[in-house]
Amino acid sequence: MARAGLAVGAAMVLAVCTAGGADAAQAGAPSPGQPAASAAATSATSVRITEGEVGEVGPRGTITYPSVTSCLVVTVLLRDGGKVGGHASLFQVPGKYSSDEILPAIRRAVGHRPVQSVDVSGAVGAWNPSYFRKAVERYTDTAPPGPTGDAHGIGDAVARLLGQPRGKVTVQDLPDGDITR
C-alpha cells in the first residue's frame, strides 16, 4: 500500500513538473526531517530551488536557483546526467532547511548514486565555511563568526559533509541573480 502511494505521488510530481515547472517543495524534494525524493521523481526536466530547499532533476534537466544574493547553491552532478541541488541561505527561512541542514539533505537525496562533480556557486564573500556546520541562527550564547569569503575552506566543508573527494568540488563567486545549472 505504501509503495502504491509513493508511485502515485511520484507520478503527480512528474505531472506538476512537466506542466510548467514547480519549486523544489512541489517537485518531491524532502522537507526538513523527511526522506529524500524517490527515483521516479528524478525524471523532472526542470525545477526551481528557492532558499532552504533541496531538489533534483533527471538527466539533461535544469535547476534554477532564483535570487541568489547572499546565498550559496550546491549542485551535485551525477554520473547519469541527473542533478541534486540545494539553496543554502545565510538565515533560515521558516519551514525550510537551515544552512547546517542543506548538505546532509543533499547527501541523503544523492544516496549511493555515483557523483561526477559538485558545483558551489553564489555569494562566497558573505560566507564562512563553518555556516555549513552550525547555522548563524544557532549561535545563541555568542556571536557567529563573520564571513571569510574562504572559497577553499567552503570547498573543504562541502566535500567533507557530502562525503566526496575534495577534487570533485569547485567553488565560484558569482554576482547577484538567478543561477541555472
Side-chain angles (χ1 to χ4, degrees), residues 67-148:
S67 305
V68 179
T69 55
S70 62
C71 304
L72 286 178
V73 298
V74 178
T75 308
V76 176
L77 293 93
L78 303 170
R79 282 200 199 136
D80 72 357
K83 299 170 192 158
V84 177
H87 192 145
S89 177
L90 277 176
F91 299 99
Q92 185 176 14
V93 174
K96 307 288 181 155
Y97 290 114
S98 61
S99 63
D100 58 357
E101 297 171 322
I102 284 285
L103 295 176
I106 292 171
R107 187 171 181 166
R108 286 189 303 273
V110 168
H112 296 290
R113 294 179 285 176
V115 171
Q116 180 72 36
S117 62
V118 180
D119 173 80
V120 181
S121 301
V124 171
W127 280 74
N128 184 307
S130 69
Y131 299 162
F132 284 118
R133 290 185 302 278
K134 185 175 181 179
V136 170
E137 59 273 358
R138 297 201 200 289
Y139 287 89
T140 56
D141 294 339
T142 61
T148 62

